[in-house]
Amino acid sequence: GENVEQHPSTLSVQEGDSAVIKCTYSDSASNYFPWYKQELGKGPQLIIDIRSNVGEKKDQRIAVTLNKTAKHFSLHITETQPEDSAVYFCAASRGGSARQLTFGSGTQLTVLP
Amino acid sequence: ETGVTQTPRHLVMGMTNKKSLKCEQHLGHNAMYWYKQSAKKPLELMFVYNFKEQTENNSVPSRFSPECPNSSHLFLHLHTLQPEDSALYLCASSQTSGVPDTQYFGPGTRLTVL
């Protein structure tokens, strides 16, 4: 089955700096890669996703890149703000009628004011 | 709010109790999921229902029993649990036809087994 590894497990940055979280996956048939943000006491919320037919996607301060050859994808957050502090999860799926997501172990991002 | 609600938000139960977790989605989706989230571990998929039919059971012990009476409601019945079952149980839903089919999560039920 699919295996997703996520690094780093913790990340601290100064407000205004950029943050990068990286994930690798094992199943070359995976074609959907979402990123979720989980704040304390809440469920994970989708912040951005990418499909295997594109290499990069941006949404304001958030961007995701995908390298299918190397089987890795990354989340980039620019101009970080204290409200970006949360746990971020990457996931991968090979599709199907009900997508079964395999999640990474999460990254605790702390943005220091 | 994501359109997925879960009750109760917190639950403490003994190992001999029977309880149920409830999930409801107001998004018109046709697939629903149960996940287990333990500290410092990736989210673990437990069950998948697609159009009320269970399509996946990821080797979950029989002390967890899911029920999906319709596409909007999902239950997880619990009995004779173990302390290691203490975790955050998350429900999610998605639309499996068309693109995108993002999974939307509820806030979870924090379960403590004494």
Side-chain angles (χ1 to χ4, degrees), chain B residues 6 29 32 34-35 41 43 50 65 67 77 94 114:
Chain B
Q6 290 187 243
H29 291 164
M32 297 188 77
W34 278 118
Y35 287 87
K41 292 177 71 175
L43 277 76
N50 193 10
S65 175
E67 178 189 2
H77 304 298
S94 71
L114 302 176

Side-chain angles (χ1 to χ4, degrees), chain B residues 9-99:
Chain B
R9 294 293 310 276
H10 301 272
L11 178 63
V12 179
M13 58 187 291
M15 290 191 285
T16 58
N17 292 157
K18 289 185 179 181
K19 297 286 184 183
S20 295
L21 310 185
K22 179 183 176 182
C23 175
E24 183 173 1
Q25 57 97 359
H26 311 273
L27 301 169
H29 291 164
N30 56 275
M32 297 188 77
Y33 311 76
W34 278 118
Y35 287 87
K36 177 183 179 182
Q37 186 175 32
S38 304
K40 299 184 179 180
K41 292 177 71 175
L43 277 76
E44 300 172 57
L45 180 65
M46 301 174 71
F47 302 104
V48 180
Y49 278 83
N50 193 10
F51 289 102
K52 302 188 298 178
E53 298 297 322
Q54 184 175 313
T55 58
E56 189 69 27
N57 175 341
N58 278 355
S59 302
V60 181
S62 59
R63 57 186 183 268
F64 295 92
S65 175
E67 178 189 2
C68 188
N70 54 61
S71 293
S72 298
H73 294 86
L74 184 65
F75 295 89
L76 187 63
H77 304 298
L78 316 172
H79 63 99
T80 59
L81 294 192
Q82 304 298 312
E84 59 264 29
D85 296 323
S86 298
L88 182 68
Y89 288 86
L90 292 160
C91 172
S93 71
S94 71
Q95 185 63 35
T96 59
S97 59
V99 177

